[in-house]
Amino acid sequence: MKRRTFLAGLAAVPVAGCGLSSNTTSNSSASGQVTGEITFQTWSLKPKYTDYVNGVVDAFQKQHQGTTVKWVDQPADGYLAKVMADASAGSLPDVINVPPDLSFPLAKAGQLVDLDQELKDAKPEYLENAWQAFEIPGKGGCYGFPWYLNTGPVFYNKALFQQAGLDPNKPPANFKELEQQALQLAQKKVAMLGQTPTIADFGLYGVKLFDNDKFTFNEAKGVEFVESYKRMYDAGALIPEALTQNYTGSGAKFMAQQTALSPGSAYDLGKFKTDAPSLYANIGITKPITNTGSANMFLHGVSVPKSSKNQATALAFGRFLTNAENQVKFAKLASIFPSTSKGGDDPYFTTEDGSDEARVRVAAAKQLKTAVNYTPVQFSDQMREALLQQLADAMLGKKSPKQALDDAVNECNRLLK
Protein backbone atom coordinates (compact mmCIF):
# COMPACT_ATOMS: atom_id res chain seq x y z
CA MET A 1 0.00 0.00 0.00
CA LYS A 2 3.02 2.30 0.22
CA ARG A 3 3.50 1.97 -3.52
CA ARG A 4 1.93 5.37 -4.17
CA THR A 5 -1.22 4.31 -2.32
CA PHE A 6 -1.56 1.21 -4.48
CA LEU A 7 -0.95 2.40 -7.99
CA ALA A 8 -2.73 5.75 -7.75
CA GLY A 9 -1.00 8.31 -9.95
CA LEU A 10 1.77 6.02 -11.17
CA ALA A 11 3.89 7.79 -13.74
CA ALA A 12 4.45 6.69 -17.29
CA VAL A 13 8.00 7.80 -17.98
CA PRO A 14 8.08 9.67 -21.33
CA VAL A 15 9.49 7.75 -24.28
CA ALA A 16 11.11 10.81 -25.84
CA GLY A 17 14.86 10.79 -25.44
CA CYS A 18 14.96 7.21 -24.15
CA GLY A 19 16.11 5.68 -27.41
CA LEU A 20 13.27 3.19 -27.61
CA SER A 21 13.08 1.50 -30.97
CA SER A 22 9.80 0.73 -32.70
CA ASN A 23 11.56 -1.91 -34.81
CA THR A 24 12.09 -4.46 -32.06
CA THR A 25 11.61 -7.99 -33.38
CA SER A 26 10.67 -11.17 -31.57
CA ASN A 27 13.46 -13.56 -30.62
CA SER A 28 11.19 -16.56 -30.38
CA SER A 29 7.63 -17.65 -30.88
CA ALA A 30 5.02 -18.17 -28.19
CA SER A 31 4.40 -21.59 -29.71
CA GLY A 32 7.95 -22.73 -28.91
CA GLN A 33 8.95 -25.24 -26.27
CA VAL A 34 8.49 -24.24 -22.60
CA THR A 35 12.00 -24.86 -21.30
CA GLY A 36 15.16 -23.03 -20.33
CA GLU A 37 15.79 -20.03 -18.07
CA ILE A 38 13.90 -16.74 -17.75
CA THR A 39 14.18 -13.74 -15.45
CA PHE A 40 11.06 -12.46 -13.67
CA GLN A 41 11.18 -8.93 -12.24
CA THR A 42 8.77 -7.56 -9.62
CA TRP A 43 8.31 -4.21 -7.98
CA SER A 44 8.97 -4.09 -4.22
CA LEU A 45 7.47 -7.44 -3.20
CA LYS A 46 10.35 -8.57 -0.99
CA PRO A 47 10.49 -9.47 1.83
CA LYS A 48 6.79 -9.53 2.66
CA TYR A 49 5.74 -11.79 -0.22
CA THR A 50 8.96 -13.77 -0.69
CA ASP A 51 7.44 -17.10 0.33
CA TYR A 52 4.45 -16.61 -1.95
CA VAL A 53 6.46 -15.73 -5.07
CA ASN A 54 8.97 -18.50 -4.43
CA GLY A 55 6.05 -20.90 -4.12
CA VAL A 56 4.67 -19.86 -7.51
CA VAL A 57 8.12 -20.18 -9.09
CA ASP A 58 8.64 -23.65 -7.60
CA ALA A 59 5.20 -24.81 -8.77
CA PHE A 60 5.85 -23.60 -12.32
CA GLN A 61 9.26 -25.27 -12.49
CA LYS A 62 7.74 -28.52 -11.20
CA GLN A 63 4.97 -28.36 -13.80
CA HIS A 64 7.44 -27.55 -16.58
CA GLN A 65 10.52 -29.70 -16.04
CA GLY A 66 13.62 -28.15 -17.51
CA THR A 67 12.64 -24.55 -16.75
CA THR A 68 14.37 -22.15 -14.39
CA VAL A 69 12.81 -18.89 -13.24
CA LYS A 70 15.21 -16.37 -11.75
CA TRP A 71 13.26 -13.91 -9.61
CA VAL A 72 14.63 -10.40 -9.08
CA ASP A 73 12.81 -7.77 -7.05
CA GLN A 74 13.53 -4.08 -7.51
CA PRO A 75 12.91 -1.41 -4.83
CA ALA A 76 10.04 1.02 -5.30
CA ASP A 77 12.26 4.09 -5.59
CA GLY A 78 13.41 4.59 -9.15
CA TYR A 79 11.62 1.52 -10.50
CA LEU A 80 9.99 3.27 -13.44
CA ALA A 81 13.21 4.98 -14.49
CA LYS A 82 15.08 1.66 -14.26
CA VAL A 83 12.55 -0.07 -16.50
CA MET A 84 12.86 2.63 -19.13
CA ALA A 85 16.66 2.55 -18.93
CA ASP A 86 16.64 -1.23 -19.39
CA ALA A 87 14.26 -0.81 -22.33
CA SER A 88 16.61 1.68 -23.95
CA ALA A 89 19.53 -0.72 -23.47
CA GLY A 90 17.55 -3.69 -24.79
CA SER A 91 18.04 -5.52 -21.49
CA LEU A 92 14.52 -5.88 -20.10
CA PRO A 93 13.85 -9.05 -18.07
CA ASP A 94 11.79 -11.81 -19.71
CA VAL A 95 8.73 -11.12 -17.53
CA ILE A 96 8.29 -7.70 -15.99
CA ASN A 97 5.85 -6.32 -13.43
CA VAL A 98 4.27 -3.11 -14.79
CA PRO A 99 1.11 -1.01 -14.41
CA PRO A 100 -0.79 -0.06 -17.60
CA ASP A 101 0.74 3.41 -17.82
CA LEU A 102 4.24 1.93 -17.92
CA SER A 103 3.31 -0.77 -20.40
CA PHE A 104 1.88 1.90 -22.73
CA PRO A 105 5.12 3.63 -23.82
CA LEU A 106 6.86 0.27 -24.13
CA ALA A 107 4.03 -1.21 -26.19
CA LYS A 108 3.74 1.90 -28.34
CA ALA A 109 7.45 1.64 -29.09
CA GLY A 110 6.97 -1.97 -30.22
CA GLN A 111 8.83 -3.51 -27.29
CA LEU A 112 6.15 -5.80 -25.81
CA VAL A 113 4.54 -9.02 -27.02
CA ASP A 114 0.89 -8.61 -28.09
CA LEU A 115 -1.04 -11.24 -26.13
CA ASP A 116 -4.02 -10.95 -28.47
CA GLN A 117 -1.78 -12.27 -31.24
CA GLU A 118 0.37 -14.78 -29.37
CA LEU A 119 -2.18 -16.18 -26.87
CA LYS A 120 -5.58 -15.80 -28.48
CA ASP A 121 -7.24 -18.13 -25.97
CA ALA A 122 -6.06 -16.27 -22.84
CA LYS A 123 -8.42 -13.28 -22.91
CA PRO A 124 -11.56 -15.05 -21.54
CA GLU A 125 -9.60 -16.03 -18.42
CA TYR A 126 -9.50 -12.40 -17.23
CA LEU A 127 -12.01 -9.68 -16.43
CA GLU A 128 -12.75 -7.78 -19.62
CA ASN A 129 -12.09 -4.37 -18.03
CA ALA A 130 -8.73 -5.57 -16.70
CA TRP A 131 -7.66 -6.96 -20.08
CA GLN A 132 -8.67 -3.71 -21.78
CA ALA A 133 -6.47 -1.71 -19.40
CA PHE A 134 -3.38 -3.16 -21.11
CA GLU A 135 -4.49 -2.29 -24.63
CA ILE A 136 -3.26 0.67 -26.64
CA PRO A 137 -6.39 2.85 -26.77
CA GLY A 138 -7.94 2.94 -30.20
CA LYS A 139 -5.44 0.51 -31.67
CA GLY A 140 -6.17 -2.77 -29.89
CA GLY A 141 -3.71 -5.41 -28.85
CA CYS A 142 -3.10 -6.40 -25.23
CA TYR A 143 0.40 -6.00 -23.84
CA GLY A 144 0.19 -7.36 -20.32
CA PHE A 145 -1.39 -10.14 -18.28
CA PRO A 146 -3.61 -8.40 -15.71
CA TRP A 147 -2.32 -9.42 -12.28
CA TYR A 148 -3.69 -7.81 -9.15
CA LEU A 149 -6.41 -5.19 -8.82
CA ASN A 150 -7.70 -2.82 -6.20
CA THR A 151 -10.57 -0.48 -5.67
CA GLY A 152 -11.97 0.82 -2.49
CA PRO A 153 -14.76 2.24 -0.48
CA VAL A 154 -15.04 5.74 0.84
CA PHE A 155 -14.61 6.16 4.58
CA TYR A 156 -16.34 8.95 6.46
CA ASN A 157 -16.54 10.14 10.06
CA LYS A 158 -20.07 9.58 11.33
CA ALA A 159 -19.50 11.73 14.41
CA LEU A 160 -18.46 14.76 12.35
CA PHE A 161 -21.43 14.26 10.03
CA GLN A 162 -23.81 14.13 12.99
CA GLN A 163 -22.29 17.24 14.58
CA ALA A 164 -23.03 19.15 11.38
CA GLY A 165 -26.63 18.01 11.31
CA LEU A 166 -26.09 15.49 8.51
CA ASP A 167 -27.59 12.02 8.55
CA PRO A 168 -24.64 9.76 9.47
CA ASN A 169 -26.28 6.93 7.54
CA LYS A 170 -26.64 8.87 4.28
CA PRO A 171 -23.17 9.84 3.03
CA PRO A 172 -22.78 11.38 -0.45
CA ALA A 173 -23.21 8.97 -3.36
CA ASN A 174 -22.50 11.44 -6.20
CA PHE A 175 -20.64 14.71 -6.62
CA LYS A 176 -23.72 16.91 -6.24
CA GLU A 177 -24.40 15.39 -2.84
CA LEU A 178 -20.70 15.69 -1.98
CA GLU A 179 -20.77 19.45 -2.50
CA GLN A 180 -24.06 19.91 -0.64
CA GLN A 181 -22.86 17.99 2.41
CA ALA A 182 -19.37 19.51 2.29
CA LEU A 183 -20.80 23.04 2.42
CA GLN A 184 -22.98 22.10 5.38
CA LEU A 185 -19.97 20.63 7.21
CA ALA A 186 -17.95 23.76 6.44
CA GLN A 187 -20.53 25.86 8.30
CA LYS A 188 -19.40 23.97 11.42
CA LYS A 189 -15.73 24.63 10.55
CA VAL A 190 -15.17 21.03 9.47
CA ALA A 191 -13.42 20.24 6.18
CA MET A 192 -14.90 17.42 4.15
CA LEU A 193 -11.91 16.87 1.83
CA GLY A 194 -8.17 16.47 2.25
CA GLN A 195 -7.03 16.42 -1.37
CA THR A 196 -7.68 18.07 -4.71
CA PRO A 197 -9.16 15.93 -7.48
CA THR A 198 -7.00 13.63 -9.56
CA ILE A 199 -7.51 12.91 -13.24
CA ALA A 200 -9.42 9.77 -12.20
CA ASP A 201 -11.85 11.95 -10.22
CA PHE A 202 -12.62 13.85 -13.42
CA GLY A 203 -13.48 10.49 -14.96
CA LEU A 204 -15.70 9.58 -12.01
CA TYR A 205 -17.48 12.89 -12.47
CA GLY A 206 -18.25 11.94 -16.08
CA VAL A 207 -15.73 14.10 -17.89
CA LYS A 208 -14.36 12.88 -21.24
CA LEU A 209 -10.64 12.75 -20.53
CA PHE A 210 -9.06 11.77 -23.84
CA ASP A 211 -10.32 11.66 -27.41
CA ASN A 212 -8.76 11.56 -30.87
CA ASP A 213 -5.22 11.35 -29.51
CA LYS A 214 -5.49 14.37 -27.25
CA PHE A 215 -6.61 15.30 -23.74
CA THR A 216 -10.07 16.83 -23.51
CA PHE A 217 -10.81 17.21 -19.80
CA ASN A 218 -11.27 20.98 -20.24
CA GLU A 219 -14.71 20.34 -21.73
CA ALA A 220 -17.73 22.00 -20.12
CA LYS A 221 -18.29 19.17 -17.65
CA GLY A 222 -14.67 19.40 -16.53
CA VAL A 223 -15.03 23.14 -15.90
CA GLU A 224 -18.23 22.45 -13.97
CA PHE A 225 -16.31 19.97 -11.80
CA VAL A 226 -13.55 22.44 -10.94
CA GLU A 227 -16.11 25.15 -10.21
CA SER A 228 -17.66 22.83 -7.65
CA TYR A 229 -14.29 22.30 -5.97
CA LYS A 230 -13.68 26.05 -6.01
CA ARG A 231 -16.92 26.63 -4.11
CA MET A 232 -15.95 23.99 -1.58
CA TYR A 233 -12.47 25.44 -1.19
CA ASP A 234 -13.79 28.95 -0.64
CA ALA A 235 -16.14 27.65 2.05
CA GLY A 236 -13.37 25.80 3.89
CA ALA A 237 -14.51 22.33 2.85
CA LEU A 238 -11.14 21.56 1.20
CA ILE A 239 -8.02 22.03 3.32
CA PRO A 240 -5.42 24.53 1.98
CA GLU A 241 -2.55 22.05 2.37
CA ALA A 242 -4.07 19.98 -0.43
CA LEU A 243 -2.91 22.58 -2.96
CA THR A 244 0.75 21.82 -2.29
CA GLN A 245 2.61 19.78 -4.90
CA ASN A 246 3.08 16.15 -3.84
CA TYR A 247 1.04 16.61 -0.67
CA THR A 248 0.64 13.24 1.03
CA GLY A 249 -0.97 14.15 4.34
CA SER A 250 -4.64 13.68 3.51
CA GLY A 251 -4.78 10.25 5.13
CA ALA A 252 -3.20 11.57 8.32
CA LYS A 253 -5.69 14.44 8.42
CA PHE A 254 -8.57 11.98 8.20
CA MET A 255 -7.11 9.77 10.92
CA ALA A 256 -6.69 12.84 13.12
CA GLN A 257 -10.40 13.59 12.49
CA GLN A 258 -9.56 16.91 10.85
CA THR A 259 -11.35 15.95 7.64
CA ALA A 260 -14.61 14.06 7.39
CA LEU A 261 -14.18 11.88 4.30
CA SER A 262 -11.41 9.92 2.61
CA PRO A 263 -11.14 7.26 -0.12
CA GLY A 264 -9.43 4.07 0.96
CA SER A 265 -9.30 0.30 0.79
CA ALA A 266 -9.99 -2.72 2.96
CA TYR A 267 -6.39 -2.42 4.14
CA ASP A 268 -7.13 0.87 5.88
CA LEU A 269 -9.63 -0.55 8.35
CA GLY A 270 -6.95 -2.45 10.22
CA LYS A 271 -4.83 0.69 10.36
CA PHE A 272 -7.73 2.71 11.75
CA LYS A 273 -8.40 0.06 14.37
CA THR A 274 -4.83 0.03 15.67
CA ASP A 275 -3.67 3.62 15.06
CA ALA A 276 -6.87 5.65 15.40
CA PRO A 277 -9.33 3.74 17.63
CA SER A 278 -11.48 6.81 18.32
CA LEU A 279 -11.93 7.27 14.57
CA TYR A 280 -12.59 3.56 14.10
CA ALA A 281 -15.44 3.75 16.61
CA ASN A 282 -17.15 6.31 14.35
CA ILE A 283 -16.12 5.03 10.95
CA GLY A 284 -18.67 4.96 8.17
CA ILE A 285 -18.14 2.91 5.02
CA THR A 286 -19.79 3.71 1.71
CA LYS A 287 -19.40 3.20 -2.02
CA PRO A 288 -17.09 5.37 -4.15
CA ILE A 289 -18.54 8.75 -5.10
CA THR A 290 -19.32 8.64 -8.81
CA ASN A 291 -21.64 10.14 -11.39
CA THR A 292 -21.04 7.28 -13.80
CA GLY A 293 -22.09 4.31 -11.70
CA SER A 294 -18.64 2.71 -12.08
CA ALA A 295 -15.90 2.83 -9.46
CA ASN A 296 -12.24 3.55 -10.17
CA MET A 297 -9.88 0.60 -10.57
CA PHE A 298 -6.14 0.38 -10.02
CA LEU A 299 -4.18 -2.55 -11.39
CA HIS A 300 -0.80 -4.09 -12.07
CA GLY A 301 0.20 -6.70 -14.59
CA VAL A 302 3.15 -8.53 -16.09
CA SER A 303 4.40 -8.04 -19.63
CA VAL A 304 6.76 -10.03 -21.85
CA PRO A 305 9.25 -7.98 -23.90
CA LYS A 306 9.86 -8.93 -27.50
CA SER A 307 13.57 -8.93 -26.67
CA SER A 308 13.12 -12.04 -24.51
CA LYS A 309 15.25 -14.90 -25.82
CA ASN A 310 12.78 -17.38 -24.37
CA GLN A 311 9.35 -15.98 -25.16
CA ALA A 312 7.48 -19.26 -24.98
CA THR A 313 8.58 -19.89 -21.39
CA ALA A 314 8.10 -16.24 -20.44
CA LEU A 315 4.52 -16.23 -21.75
CA ALA A 316 3.75 -19.55 -20.07
CA PHE A 317 5.06 -18.21 -16.74
CA GLY A 318 3.13 -14.92 -17.05
CA ARG A 319 -0.06 -16.86 -17.63
CA PHE A 320 0.68 -19.28 -14.78
CA LEU A 321 1.50 -16.48 -12.33
CA THR A 322 -1.78 -14.74 -13.11
CA ASN A 323 -4.07 -17.75 -13.22
CA ALA A 324 -7.12 -17.84 -10.93
CA GLU A 325 -5.61 -20.13 -8.30
CA ASN A 326 -2.41 -18.14 -7.86
CA GLN A 327 -4.17 -14.79 -7.93
CA VAL A 328 -6.66 -15.80 -5.23
CA LYS A 329 -3.81 -16.93 -2.97
CA PHE A 330 -1.99 -13.64 -3.48
CA ALA A 331 -5.13 -11.58 -2.96
CA LYS A 332 -5.79 -13.19 0.41
CA LEU A 333 -2.27 -12.33 1.53
CA ALA A 334 -2.12 -8.76 0.30
CA SER A 335 -5.59 -7.14 0.61
CA ILE A 336 -5.87 -6.97 -3.18
CA PHE A 337 -8.21 -8.61 -5.68
CA PRO A 338 -7.76 -11.10 -8.54
CA SER A 339 -8.17 -9.98 -12.13
CA THR A 340 -9.29 -13.37 -13.42
CA SER A 341 -12.88 -13.94 -14.47
CA LYS A 342 -13.31 -16.77 -11.95
CA GLY A 343 -11.11 -15.50 -9.13
CA GLY A 344 -13.79 -13.22 -7.73
CA ASP A 345 -16.14 -16.20 -7.30
CA ASP A 346 -14.09 -17.55 -4.41
CA PRO A 347 -16.17 -17.42 -1.16
CA TYR A 348 -13.54 -15.14 0.36
CA PHE A 349 -14.75 -12.39 -1.99
CA THR A 350 -18.46 -13.21 -1.96
CA THR A 351 -19.32 -14.14 1.65
CA GLU A 352 -19.45 -11.81 4.66
CA ASP A 353 -18.63 -13.01 8.15
CA GLY A 354 -20.10 -10.06 10.04
CA SER A 355 -16.86 -8.07 10.20
CA ASP A 356 -16.33 -4.63 8.67
CA GLU A 357 -13.29 -5.97 6.84
CA ALA A 358 -15.32 -8.66 5.11
CA ARG A 359 -18.09 -6.19 4.27
CA VAL A 360 -15.59 -3.90 2.56
CA ARG A 361 -13.88 -6.78 0.78
CA VAL A 362 -17.11 -8.27 -0.60
CA ALA A 363 -18.42 -4.88 -1.71
CA ALA A 364 -15.13 -4.00 -3.40
CA ALA A 365 -14.93 -7.35 -5.19
CA LYS A 366 -18.43 -6.84 -6.54
CA GLN A 367 -17.78 -3.32 -7.81
CA LEU A 368 -14.53 -4.40 -9.52
CA LYS A 369 -16.52 -6.32 -12.11
CA THR A 370 -17.75 -3.03 -13.58
CA ALA A 371 -14.95 -0.74 -12.39
CA VAL A 372 -12.96 1.42 -14.82
CA ASN A 373 -9.30 2.36 -14.92
CA TYR A 374 -10.16 6.03 -15.41
CA THR A 375 -6.58 7.32 -15.53
CA PRO A 376 -5.56 7.46 -19.21
CA VAL A 377 -2.47 5.38 -19.88
CA GLN A 378 -1.01 8.42 -21.62
CA PHE A 379 -1.19 10.49 -18.41
CA SER A 380 2.36 10.90 -17.06
CA ASP A 381 3.70 12.15 -13.76
CA GLN A 382 4.63 15.46 -15.38
CA MET A 383 1.03 15.83 -16.51
CA ARG A 384 -0.21 15.07 -13.01
CA GLU A 385 1.97 17.86 -11.64
CA ALA A 386 0.76 20.27 -14.33
CA LEU A 387 -2.89 19.51 -13.51
CA LEU A 388 -2.31 19.91 -9.78
CA GLN A 389 -0.62 23.29 -10.29
CA GLN A 390 -3.46 24.57 -12.45
CA LEU A 391 -6.06 23.33 -9.96
CA ALA A 392 -4.21 25.16 -7.20
CA ASP A 393 -4.30 28.37 -9.24
CA ALA A 394 -8.03 27.90 -9.78
CA MET A 395 -8.70 27.30 -6.08
CA LEU A 396 -6.67 30.39 -5.12
CA GLY A 397 -8.49 32.56 -7.67
CA LYS A 398 -5.39 33.23 -9.74
CA LYS A 399 -7.19 31.82 -12.78
CA SER A 400 -10.76 30.98 -13.66
CA PRO A 401 -11.56 27.24 -13.63
CA LYS A 402 -11.90 27.41 -17.42
CA GLN A 403 -8.52 29.06 -17.93
CA ALA A 404 -6.84 26.71 -15.48
CA LEU A 405 -8.17 23.64 -17.27
CA ASP A 406 -7.35 25.06 -20.70
CA ASP A 407 -3.78 25.62 -19.55
CA ALA A 408 -3.59 22.13 -18.00
CA VAL A 409 -4.87 20.46 -21.17
CA ASN A 410 -2.53 22.47 -23.37
CA GLU A 411 0.45 21.46 -21.25
CA CYS A 412 -0.61 17.80 -21.17
CA ASN A 413 -1.02 17.74 -24.94
CA ARG A 414 2.38 19.42 -25.36
CA LEU A 415 3.96 16.77 -23.14
CA LEU A 416 2.11 14.05 -25.03
CA LYS A 417 3.77 15.16 -28.27
Side-chain angles (χ1 to χ4, degrees):
M1 290 303 299
K2 289 182 180 178
R3 294 161 69 174
R4 297 205 191 182
T5 316
F6 193 89
L7 323 177
L10 284 172
V13 181
V15 175
C18 291
L20 299 183
S21 170
S22 60
N23 298 316
T24 305
T25 56
S26 297
N27 285 319
S28 62
S29 169
S31 60
Q33 188 175 4
V34 179
T35 188
E37 181 175 319
I38 60 169
T39 299
F40 167 46
Q41 178 174 292
T42 56
W43 181 354
S44 191
L45 293 186
K46 287 184 178 180
K48 190 170 184 179
Y49 304 110
T50 296
D51 289 345
Y52 168 76
V53 176
N54 281 337
V56 172
V57 168
D58 289 345
F60 178 80
Q61 292 175 160
K62 184 177 181 180
Q63 187 176 110
H64 298 279
Q65 296 294 320
T67 61
T68 301
V69 179
K70 179 184 177 184
W71 175 35
V72 295
D73 186 66
Q74 299 293 344
D77 291 343
Y79 182 81
L80 305 182
K82 174 175 174 46
V83 170
M84 297 304 285
D86 288 347
S88 298
S91 58
L92 285 169
D94 299 278
V95 182
I96 183 168
N97 178 194
V98 289
D101 52 355
L102 182 52
S103 73
F104 172 72
L106 297 174
K108 191 176 180 183
Q111 293 231 359
L112 301 181
V113 172
D114 181 353
L115 302 183
D116 280 336
Q117 288 186 355
E118 298 294 344
L119 292 174
K120 291 181 169 56
D121 61 334
K123 184 175 181 178
E125 298 171 10
Y126 301 87
L127 293 173
E128 184 177 1
N129 50 356
W131 189 265
Q132 289 174 346
F134 283 93
E135 296 177 348
I136 294 180
K139 298 184 180 179
C142 177
Y143 298 90
F145 293 98
W147 191 6
Y148 50 92
L149 313 179
N150 216 335
T151 188
V154 166
F155 296 110
Y156 66 100
N157 190 317
K158 287 186 174 183
L160 293 180
F161 270 57
Q162 199 160 16
Q163 290 170 22
L166 295 170
D167 187 338
N169 297 313
K170 291 184 178 179
N174 55 53
F175 285 94
K176 182 178 180 180
E177 292 177 1
L178 174 67
E179 181 181 351
Q180 290 171 342
Q181 295 187 24
L183 295 178
Q184 188 167 336
L185 273 167
Q187 292 177 4
K188 300 295 183 180
K189 307 301 181 184
V190 176
M192 176 75 93
L193 302 168
Q195 60 188 47
T196 51
T198 64
I199 192 67
D201 292 316
F202 280 78
L204 287 163
Y205 191 82
V207 180
K208 181 180 287 186
L209 305 178
F210 195 87
D211 190 40
N212 292 325
D213 295 324
K214 64 181 181 180
F215 289 98
T216 57
F217 55 86
N218 59 336
E219 65 167 12
K221 190 172 280 290
V223 175
E224 176 185 288
F225 184 43
V226 177
E227 288 173 344
S228 172
Y229 261 79
K230 170 63 172 167
R231 290 190 293 269
M232 288 190 284
Y233 180 79
D234 288 344
L238 170 65
I239 60 172
E241 296 95 315
L243 306 188
T244 306
Q245 283 279 1
N246 299 317
Y247 176 68
T248 58
S250 60
K253 288 283 187 182
F254 180 70
M255 289 181 64
Q257 303 191 64
Q258 294 174 5
T259 57
L261 182 144
S262 179
S265 75
Y267 164 88
D268 294 307
L269 274 174
K271 187 174 181 63
F272 296 155
K273 186 182 290 186
T274 57
D275 296 351
S278 60
L279 169 66
Y280 185 78
N282 293 305
I283 202 71
I285 307 169
T286 188
K287 295 179 180 179
I289 296 169
T290 172
N291 291 348
T292 67
S294 295
N296 191 32
M297 176 176 68
F298 309 109
L299 72 162
H300 259 248
V302 290
S303 296
V304 174
K306 286 185 178 180
S307 59
S308 170
K309 293 180 173 58
N310 198 350
Q311 263 185 43
T313 302
L315 288 166
F317 179 74
R319 193 171 184 176
F320 181 82
L321 172 74
T322 60
N323 69 27
E325 180 182 356
N326 285 323
Q327 287 213 40
V328 168
K329 288 179 182 177
F330 193 26
K332 291 178 180 180
L333 286 173
S335 295
I336 52 178
F337 298 89
S339 64
T340 55
S341 53
K342 295 181 179 179
D345 296 333
D346 186 278
Y348 184 74
F349 303 108
T350 60
T351 306
E352 296 187 28
D353 59 11
S355 67
D356 286 340
E357 289 84 353
R359 179 159 67 93
V360 171
R361 182 174 64 246
V362 170
K366 184 178 181 180
Q367 73 190 31
L368 270 171
K369 293 182 179 180
T370 59
V372 175
N373 178 29
Y374 284 105
T375 301
V377 292
Q378 302 92 338
F379 197 75
S380 70
D381 201 42
Q382 289 172 290
M383 296 174 189
R384 181 195 63 81
E385 292 174 1
L387 174 59
L388 180 57
Q389 181 58 58
Q390 295 302 328
L391 288 174
D393 286 348
M395 297 303 106
L396 294 170
K398 295 180 179 179
K399 295 180 180 179
S400 69
K402 178 69 167 67
Q403 186 62 56
L405 278 191
D406 285 346
D407 290 347
V409 164
N410 288 338
E411 177 63 6
C412 288
N413 284 328
R414 184 190 71 80
L415 290 167
L416 185 66
K417 293 179 180 179

